[in-house]
Amino acid sequence: MDDMIPLQQTADFPNPETADHITYNPPIADLRTFSTALETTTEFGSPSYVSDYRSRSSAQTATAIDDTFDSDDYAVFERATEWVNDPRNDVLCVDRVVGRSEGVSAVCRLFLPKEYGRIALAWAKLLEPSDGVEPDFVTVQLPDATDEPCIRVLPDDGVTVVLGSDYTGEAKKSFLRLFMYRAKQMGGLGLHAGSKRVRLTNANGRTREVGQLFLGLSGTGKSTLTSHGLWLDSPEGAEMLQDDVCALLPSGTAVGSEGGGLYIKTLGLDADEQPELYEAASAESAVLENVAVDEDGCVHFDEPRYGRNSRAVIQRDCLTSSADDIDLERVDQIFFITRNPLMPPIAKLDERQATAAFMLGESIETSAGDPSRIGESIRVVGTNPFIIGPKGEEGNRFRDLIETLDVDCFVINTGVVGTDEPIDVGVEETVAILEGVSRGSIEWTYDDTLGLSVPSYVPGIDIGQFVVSDHVEDASDALQTLRAERREYLSQFDTLDDDVLDSVY
């Protein structure tokens, strides 16, 4: 059925404002009442839910651009459309807007069974209400439709169907995936990244701003680094603009996606090291998902009672570090978050090395991806599991953008350095490094063994304790093996330009 005509966005869906069987855009408070039977009310007064599926079903997700669809695939969309149109079903429909930037922002419409109002509740708090216009993107999520998850996407029609999963992250990412795809069609690039603005003053009292992006897989510290205030005192400071997905445009602006809230991991959330995130997750406005909560409402963020991918939707207005705006006017610095023990706490990259780092996307598997592989070393292009289209073209686009925009790029290790008597890179060291990069106060030297520029001096910390070769036996051999693995990995991307392959560090 390769010649089958796909759905035309919303033409096959009913008008939710006039269909009697559809509850359309109810107040947030009403969304909570639809799933009361499934709720545990926490000690903070917030709702807590436990889902059957607790991570994304990546292996069961396919798009019409990257996969060959047959009649069974198109039948998924037909089934979803029939369900939404059937007057016997109790349908909930919620509209929200992803992004605020004209031309990039999109109206998103979510259909799902009313009894799963908890999914709509959490998702709706992440975004901002729409103004009643027709949607650009439509997702139908039917958790009870199949025994096994099945997620199918028609990118050019803006339609996603999620069958068999009740995980809130499927609804969230269904729209962000298409938001990033739209950015690429506009000549930009969607990034699985947090954005931040650092405000600094010089000796003459003049203020300057530094725009930063942090690329990393969920669970590797992206939210923590993006929201951290760097312990700066007024009039200096740091503001979080976005936590999860941005679109880097040819103008140099990184437009944000989620204007309402953040979808953070809560396992190990520490009141001392992450006070703002902890306080926001403990607010009445939060929505907890798969967090350990006792019958009496007592919350245990440190207990993996329902797996390690416990989550909370928190509100931006609960974070003092959160800016009022979500668009970063200009990107000056990009950080690739890694947990590779053969990498120093930070290294400075040239444009080709940065593109190689983007394509390598080195990290560790977390509970947000494949819980069965937690802790394993993995590579995900752009640390972005939601790319639509050839991944090599994604790397070429990234290289062209950072060259044109003159962006400085770094790889930052938030794990340990070394394989023999490894040394942990703590929060204090990471914050000192980020402040130093922001101020331009780090002194750099070239490390012949690594083939990278690394710090010889960072104000406030002893950076000399993190020399990779001091913590890795036969470091030269280990790094040579690593480079060979990296080249082999990058060689699979036929559309990636050769100059990137030649720049593997």
Side-chain angles (χ1 to χ4, degrees):
M1 300 196 55
D2 293 338
D3 59 346
M4 177 178 286
I5 299 175
L7 299 178
Q8 295 301 309
Q9 215 160 33
T10 62
D12 295 292
F13 296 109
N15 183 345
E17 296 185 81
T18 58
D20 291 338
H21 68 294
I22 297 179
T23 301
Y24 179 57
N25 275 341
I28 285 287
D30 288 358
L31 289 176
R32 181 172 176 178
T33 65
F34 300 153
S35 297
T36 301
L38 302 174
E39 175 188 323
T40 298
T41 302
T42 73
E43 59 189 293
F44 315 120
S46 60
S48 176
Y49 307 99
V50 177
S51 60
D52 291 329
Y53 283 85
R54 296 163 192 169
S55 62
R56 296 186 310 273
S57 300
S58 303
Q60 290 78 35
T61 302
T63 79
I65 289 178
D66 296 309
D67 304 277
T68 301
F69 276 17
D70 58 20
S71 58
D72 290 338
D73 296 296
Y74 286 108
V76 170
F77 298 94
E78 295 171 1
R79 180 173 181 177
T81 305
E82 291 173 358
W83 181 87
V84 174
N85 280 279
D86 191 335
R88 297 171 297 178
N89 294 324
D90 208 355
V91 179
L92 176 61
C93 177
V94 178
D95 287 355
R96 286 295 186 268
V97 178
V98 58
R100 295 178 184 169
S101 180
E102 185 176 354
V104 187
S105 63
V107 176
C108 306
R109 176 165 291 171
L110 175 64
F111 290 105
L112 74 166
K114 191 175 179 179
E115 64 189 277
Y116 284 96
R118 62 176 175 81
I119 297 174
L121 171 66
W123 173 74
K125 281 176 168 278
L126 293 170
L127 304 176
E128 295 170 302
S130 72
D131 55 6
V133 301
E134 283 298 297
D136 301 286
F137 308 145
V138 176
T139 293
V140 181
Q141 184 165 1
L142 304 177
D144 298 327
T146 55
D147 293 332
E148 295 292 333
C150 175
I151 296 95
R152 295 294 180 266
V153 188
L154 295 174
D156 291 325
D157 293 278
V159 179
T160 302
V161 174
V162 179
L163 303 182
S165 174
D166 63 340
Y167 180 54
T168 300
E170 295 290 5
K172 169 184 160 71
K173 289 301 184 184
S174 70
F175 297 110
L176 294 182
R177 180 189 290 114
L178 295 177
F179 173 78
M180 289 190 281
Y181 180 63
R182 169 179 279 201
K184 187 160 61 173
Q185 291 177 307
M186 298 174 58
L189 194 63
L191 298 175
H192 186 218
S195 59
K196 181 175 192 171
R197 182 167 52 221
V198 182
R199 184 177 61 257
L200 302 169
T201 57
N202 60 21
N204 297 322
R206 292 185 177 180
T207 300
R208 67 183 180 92
E209 293 182 346
V210 181
Q212 299 176 335
L213 294 182
F214 294 86
L215 279 70
L217 289 178
S218 298
T220 57
K222 179 159 53 69
S223 296
T224 299
L225 298 186
T226 303
S227 63
H228 202 290
L230 303 183
W231 298 321
L232 297 174
D233 296 322
S234 182
E236 297 187 323
E239 294 180 303
M240 185 266 312
L241 287 89
Q242 281 293 276
D243 167 69
D244 196 21
V245 166
C246 304
L248 179 60
L249 302 182
S251 64
T253 297
V255 300
S257 56
E258 295 175 307
L262 291 70
Y263 190 52
I264 66 168
K265 288 177 67 67
T266 59
L267 189 63
L269 198 58
D270 189 282
D272 294 324
E273 293 193 354
Q274 303 152 296
E276 281 208 345
L277 295 178
Y278 187 93
E279 185 175 346
S282 303
E284 185 177 359
S285 59
V287 179
L288 305 189
E289 183 179 49
N290 302 319
V291 175
V293 180
D294 297 337
E295 290 184 6
D296 63 0
C298 185
V299 177
H300 306 277
F301 287 128
D302 58 347
E303 181 186 332
R305 188 180 302 177
Y306 303 110
R308 304 191 65 82
N309 194 31
S310 51
R311 292 277 183 168
V313 171
I314 61 175
Q315 298 301 275
R316 289 175 61 92
D317 57 16
C318 289
L319 301 171
T320 57
S321 64
S322 174
D324 293 333
D325 49 333
I326 65 173
D327 294 344
L328 183 60
E329 185 174 342
R330 172 170 176 80
V331 177
D332 300 297
Q333 300 168 345
I334 293 178
F335 299 86
F336 299 97
I337 304 172
T338 187
R339 293 286 177 87
N340 190 325
L342 296 182
M343 289 292 100
I346 192 166
K348 191 173 184 178
L349 309 173
D350 62 30
E351 288 88 350
R352 298 301 192 274
Q353 289 174 329
T355 307
F358 175 88
M359 291 299 299
L360 289 168
E362 290 181 339
S363 190
I364 60 169
E365 184 61 85
T366 70
S367 51
D370 185 348
S372 66
R373 298 177 56 202
I374 291 175
E376 290 184 19
S377 297
I378 58 171
R379 293 187 173 110
V380 179
V381 173
T383 62
N384 180 7
F386 314 102
I387 292 172
I388 296 175
K391 292 180 173 62
E393 292 180 3
E394 201 94 353
N396 297 337
R397 177 72 58 84
F398 177 82
R399 177 205 57 204
D400 294 344
L401 284 169
I402 62 172
E403 285 185 347
T404 301
L405 299 173
D406 192 26
V407 177
D408 292 328
C409 296
F410 308 84
V411 59
I412 185 166
N413 183 356
T414 59
V416 300
V417 173
T419 54
D420 301 286
E421 298 184 5
I423 181 169
D424 182 65
V425 184
V427 174
E428 181 179 346
E429 288 82 14
T430 299
V431 170
I433 287 168
L434 289 177
E435 181 182 351
V437 171
S438 301
R439 294 188 187 280
S441 59
I442 292 179
E443 296 177 6
W444 300 89
T445 186
Y446 187 77
D447 187 310
D448 291 320
T449 302
L450 290 171
L452 294 169
S453 294
V454 300
S456 58
Y457 170 75
V458 177
I461 63 170
D462 175 16
I463 195 65
Q465 64 183 314
F466 295 104
V467 176
V468 172
S469 57
D470 291 345
H471 299 278
V472 178
E473 187 177 355
D474 298 325
S476 295
D477 291 343
L479 288 163
Q480 184 176 353
T481 299
L482 178 62
R483 291 188 191 102
E485 292 173 352
R486 286 170 167 170
R487 288 193 183 94
E488 182 179 2
Y489 176 79
L490 292 182
S491 65
Q492 69 180 294
F493 302 108
D494 296 336
T495 56
L496 181 66
D497 290 346
D498 291 338
D499 60 348
V500 178
L501 187 62
D502 295 336
S503 300
V504 170
Y505 53 90

